[in-house]
Amino acid sequence: MSLPLGASTDRPATIHDVAALSGVAASTVSRALSTPERVNIRTRVKIEAAAAQLHYIPNSQAKALSSGRTGAVAVLVADITNPFYFDIIRGTQLQLKAAGYTQLLVDTEESEDVEAGALEQLRRTADGVILTASRLSDEDLLAASAKLPIVTINREVDGIPSVILDTPTATNQALDHLISLGHTKIAYIAGPDASMSSHRRWQALEPAALERNVEVRKLGPFAPRTHSGAAAADAAVHSGATAAIVFNDLIAIGMLQRLRERGVAVPADMSIVGCDDIFGADFCSPPLTTVTAPVEQAGRTAVTMLLGQISPQFSATARRQAVLPTFLTIRASTGPAPLPPAQRV
Amino acid sequence: MSLPLGASTDRPATIHDVAALSGVAASTVSRALSTPERVNIRTRVKIEAAAAQLHYIPNSQAKALSSGRTGAVAVLVADITNPFYFDIIRGTQLQLKAAGYTQLLVDTEESEDVEAGALEQLRRTADGVILTASRLSDEDLLAASAKLPIVTINREVDGIPSVILDTPTATNQALDHLISLGHTKIAYIAGPDASMSSHRRWQALEPAALERNVEVRKLGPFAPRTHSGAAAADAAVHSGATAAIVFNDLIAIGMLQRLRERGVAVPADMSIVGCDDIFGADFCSPPLTTVTAPVEQAGRTAVTMLLGQISPQFSATARRQAVLPTFLTIRASTGPAPLPPAQRV
DNA sequence: AACTCGTTGACAACCGATTGCCAAATCATG
DNA sequence: CATGATTTGGCAATCGGTTGTCAACGAGTT
């Protein structure tokens, strides 16, 4: 395809140009394009022809200014370079484009301040916001949602629609998996203190461990980066655990690297379970046993919910809560517990 | 930090609210905020206080409409989920934020049509565009650049500022590396036909191979995805090559997986060199020998160039061309060429 | 042909800023 | 103290659309 040249060496056509060319008023052009059924079919055809001829593209700024709707939805992520968000971004992008919306991607740099500031800005710029792993307090979130339609992902606040990836259930599955392999001393490598997901998993894990009569110790917090994996690995080894359930794959992969450096064999000496099943989890060494979540679907679902809030035309199918199931994917980073030193000789 | 609540339960403050509160005209408020030196210091203080009290945030749509500047820069990438772009995105995001600009991220889905359409749209929405790995023809690119400031990354067109990652030099280095290991039959796994980078590398590789008297065969094209790696691996094996220089790490990692499935040992039976040094290249198995490029810096440089075009205040430092050096990172996926079958027994 | 009813299209106000132009105010100077 | 030079501040037009209001028009009915 070729860019439409020729007619448009000058400035882009406005609605007035289209009106002049088709011999009607500007308002008629506006109506013909936004509510075609309220305009005579002949006039409409004439206007559409003129618009096509001039390559007319409505100015979205002007549209937003006069109508109050921007046609944009913001997606806030904590860290653009965290592969976990790729699929969210792709999912939202896909669904938004299909509905004729534009995606505004904002990186909050894992900072509450940046997140709050962006939210305030966005109030004018976007018709709604999708918040992933928000760092804000419940009160701030509620206050923000009073001003602007919001859907959260992996964060539950009463009164705010949300999409939750049910990782706690799967981490408990992971616990059973490890127990069945003979592990009795297990570490939980926690994520940032501000992370709801990390808390929820621990809250599920702790009672489950008690019930099954195994020891699970919480270590951390650790930043969700591969290089935090070194500290996490050292902590896990030092704790005497033979297996670790890790906040996310980024840290888990970092641990894999560190353990290899230290000569700790995975899974012979220590088993590792990650979470998220990000890009790379299947080809790291050894391939990571991890909790697989339908992340892209979470993005799509969040968009659907948000659009339901924003525009009545989508609201028929609108739910306000969704819990998406996850499952344990077993690869090669988990194996039988090593024999205790006493029994070795 | 807490969201600024209280005063703003109602709609956001406008410039008129600020003007009313401080007892001046709206235009004075506008001037006080954009050209402070042209306003009496006392008035200015009064206005600033009022603005702060009302949590005034200028409406960017209105600003764009009246001033013609949107304060946004679009970054077009072929595929958001390709890790190569992560660092570009991070680099541009960083630099744009520092300059007070907003980043508009657009996924062109590797499609020329989508790219052209987006460019046309963006003409009103963004002050400039950064194009990564454009699929457009030179003519279309030039036409587009006449309407809107453009900087390209990895694409050279006369008259358009560009940032080039000098991968051809490094792939030739890779060639020498392989030759020094004894390889004489080498495959070049090509990227999409529309990719300039792939062409440039081949154009450097072919004469170099001739000169060094080794055989380099071009195979492909292959889509820049991990799953294309399977076909690429099979093609490489079938060609009889003992080493492959691969268009990018995504394909290279896919090849690694496929080769393992087929029982072809890397690097014992075949050596692999990737390109880009993406996330995962260091922890795949075996870790990938690859061409490391300063991708994030490319993003930053592109922004600097673009801003130089857009606003005179940055133009002092503006260059119009930049070629960024890359280097070969040797990991474990390359090794000595296997002995020819005849010599084995 | 007169009348009603329902459509269709034009006018104008408005969204929230920027900016050119001019008048008022300030200040320095003779 | 009057005058001119220089600031400083306000009015109003403008950006490109949307949308409420209302007049004009055409079709259908009697």
Side-chain angles (χ1 to χ4, degrees):
Chain A
M1 193 188 117
S2 182
L3 282 177
L5 316 175
S8 46
T9 310
D10 35 48
R11 79 168 65 76
T14 74
I15 201 170
H16 296 100
D17 300 329
V18 177
L21 183 59
S22 45
V24 300
S27 59
T28 306
V29 175
S30 173
R31 285 213 177 74
L33 298 177
S34 54
T35 50
E37 71 281 2
R38 302 205 32 76
V39 146
N40 184 300
I41 179 74
R42 288 189 316 247
T43 323
R44 195 172 95 210
V45 167
K46 212 164 49 183
I47 290 174
E48 281 166 354
Q53 184 186 333
L54 296 173
H55 297 120
Y56 169 66
I57 297 178
N59 180 323
S60 54
Q61 326 274 346
K63 215 164 174 168
L65 190 55
S66 55
S67 71
R69 280 164 279 112
T70 64
V73 164
V75 177
L76 268 63
V77 301
D79 175 11
I80 275 195
T81 62
N82 180 337
F84 171 70
Y85 293 110
F86 301 160
D87 289 323
I88 298 234
I89 294 171
R90 186 194 348 215
T92 52
Q93 168 111 330
L94 236 59
Q95 199 78 354
L96 283 171
K97 180 176 279 186
Y101 278 78
T102 298
Q103 180 180 61
L104 254 42
L105 185 58
V106 180
D107 185 338
T108 61
E109 301 166 11
E110 309 254 9
S111 146
E112 188 183 344
D113 290 3
V114 175
E115 186 176 343
L119 228 37
E120 195 63 27
Q121 278 285 357
L122 254 16
R123 196 172 164 190
R124 324 284 294 260
T125 313
D127 292 345
V129 176
I130 292 176
L131 284 178
T132 61
S134 175
R135 297 281 188 254
L136 261 35
S137 70
D138 284 14
E139 297 74 46
D140 284 348
L141 234 32
L142 276 169
S145 109
K147 301 180 196 164
L148 188 66
I150 285 183
V151 171
T152 56
I153 293 182
N154 272 354
R155 172 66 179 268
E156 229 166 339
V157 178
D158 250 12
I160 300 181
S162 61
V163 178
I164 306 287
L165 290 166
D166 179 24
T167 49
T169 300
T171 42
N172 277 8
Q173 241 182 290
L175 179 64
D176 288 333
H177 166 60
L178 290 173
I179 291 173
S180 77
L181 288 169
H183 296 273
T184 55
K185 291 195 68 178
I186 297 171
Y188 173 63
I189 304 295
D193 277 336
S195 162
M196 269 295 148
S197 307
S198 186
H199 280 300
R200 287 209 321 274
R201 283 179 220 159
W202 176 240
Q203 275 164 17
L205 222 41
E206 199 172 20
L210 215 64
E211 194 177 300
R212 290 157 177 78
N213 200 32
V214 295
E215 184 189 338
V216 177
R217 275 191 35 205
K218 178 175 164 184
L219 305 176
F222 296 97
R225 304 267 156 75
T226 42
H227 65 245
S228 312
D234 289 358
V237 168
H238 181 256
S239 77
T242 61
I245 296 176
V246 185
F247 172 64
N248 75 9
D249 287 351
L250 240 29
I251 303 178
I253 288 173
M255 290 177 71
L256 253 30
Q257 294 177 294
R258 174 66 169 187
L259 291 172
R260 167 171 307 178
E261 279 171 32
R262 293 191 46 163
V264 178
V266 175
D269 299 329
M270 180 172 297
S271 289
I272 301 285
V273 179
C275 188
D276 295 343
D277 200 5
I278 61 170
F279 173 84
D282 58 332
F283 64 72
C284 58
S285 171
L288 200 60
T289 293
T290 190
V291 173
T292 303
V295 181
E296 186 175 328
Q297 189 192 338
R300 292 202 307 269
T301 306
V303 169
T304 305
M305 281 187 181
L306 188 64
L307 261 30
Q309 267 187 87
I310 293 175
S311 90
Q313 84 180 95
F314 297 111
S315 58
T317 52
R319 289 181 300 168
R320 295 187 50 91
Q321 303 292 334
V323 176
L324 269 29
T326 64
F327 55 91
L328 187 64
T329 298
I330 297 178
R331 297 205 180 94
S333 67
T334 47
L339 295 177
Q343 301 177 22
R344 276 195 189 169
V345 183
Chain B
M1 195 189 116
S2 183
L3 282 177
L5 314 175
S8 48
T9 310
D10 34 50
R11 79 167 65 76
T14 74
I15 202 170
H16 296 101
D17 301 329
V18 178
L21 184 58
S22 45
V24 300
S27 58
T28 306
V29 175
S30 174
R31 286 213 179 74
L33 298 176
S34 53
T35 50
E37 71 280 3
R38 304 209 25 81
V39 144
N40 183 302
I41 178 72
R42 289 190 315 249
T43 323
R44 196 173 95 209
V45 167
K46 213 164 49 181
I47 291 174
E48 281 166 352
Q53 184 186 334
L54 295 173
H55 297 120
Y56 170 66
I57 296 177
N59 181 323
S60 54
Q61 326 274 346
K63 216 165 173 167
L65 190 54
S66 56
S67 71
R69 281 165 278 112
T70 64
V73 164
V75 176
L76 268 63
V77 302
D79 175 11
I80 275 195
T81 62
N82 180 337
F84 170 71
Y85 293 111
F86 301 160
D87 289 322
I88 298 238
I89 294 171
R90 190 198 340 221
T92 51
Q93 166 113 329
L94 238 57
Q95 198 79 353
L96 283 171
K97 180 175 280 186
Y101 277 79
T102 297
Q103 179 181 59
L104 252 44
L105 185 61
V106 180
D107 185 339
T108 61
E109 302 167 10
E110 310 253 11
S111 146
E112 187 182 345
D113 290 4
V114 175
E115 186 177 343
L119 229 36
E120 196 63 26
Q121 278 283 355
L122 254 17
R123 196 172 162 190
R124 324 285 293 260
T125 312
D127 292 345
V129 176
I130 291 175
L131 284 178
T132 62
S134 176
R135 296 282 188 256
L136 261 34
S137 70
D138 284 13
E139 296 73 48
D140 284 348
L141 235 31
L142 276 170
S145 108
K147 302 179 194 163
L148 188 64
I150 285 183
V151 172
T152 56
I153 294 182
N154 272 354
R155 172 63 180 269
E156 230 166 338
V157 178
D158 250 12
I160 300 181
S162 61
V163 177
I164 306 287
L165 290 166
D166 179 25
T167 48
T169 301
T171 41
N172 277 8
Q173 240 182 289
L175 179 64
D176 287 335
H177 166 61
L178 291 172
I179 292 173
S180 77
L181 289 168
H183 295 274
T184 54
K185 290 196 66 177
I186 298 170
Y188 172 64
I189 305 295
D193 278 336
S195 162
M196 270 294 148
S197 308
S198 187
H199 279 300
R200 285 209 322 273
R201 283 179 220 159
W202 177 239
Q203 275 165 15
L205 222 40
E206 199 172 22
L210 215 63
E211 193 178 303
R212 290 156 177 79
N213 199 30
V214 295
E215 183 189 338
V216 177
R217 278 201 19 216
K218 177 174 164 184
L219 305 175
F222 296 98
R225 302 268 156 77
T226 42
H227 65 244
S228 311
D234 289 358
V237 168
H238 181 255
S239 77
T242 61
I245 296 177
V246 186
F247 172 63
N248 74 9
D249 288 351
L250 239 29
I251 303 177
I253 289 173
M255 289 176 72
L256 254 29
Q257 293 178 295
R258 175 65 169 188
L259 290 172
R260 167 171 307 179
E261 281 171 31
R262 294 190 45 163
V264 178
V266 174
D269 299 329
M270 179 172 296
S271 289
I272 301 283
V273 179
C275 188
D276 295 345
D277 199 6
I278 62 170
F279 173 84
D282 57 333
F283 63 72
C284 58
S285 172
L288 199 61
T289 293
T290 190
V291 173
T292 303
V295 181
E296 188 176 327
Q297 189 192 339
R300 291 201 308 269
T301 306
V303 169
T304 305
M305 282 187 181
L306 187 65
L307 261 31
Q309 267 187 89
I310 292 175
S311 88
Q313 82 179 98
F314 296 111
S315 59
T317 52
R319 289 181 301 167
R320 293 186 52 89
Q321 303 292 334
V323 176
L324 269 30
T326 63
F327 55 91
L328 186 65
T329 298
I330 297 178
R331 298 205 180 93
S333 67
T334 47
L339 296 176
Q343 300 178 22
R344 277 197 189 167
V345 182

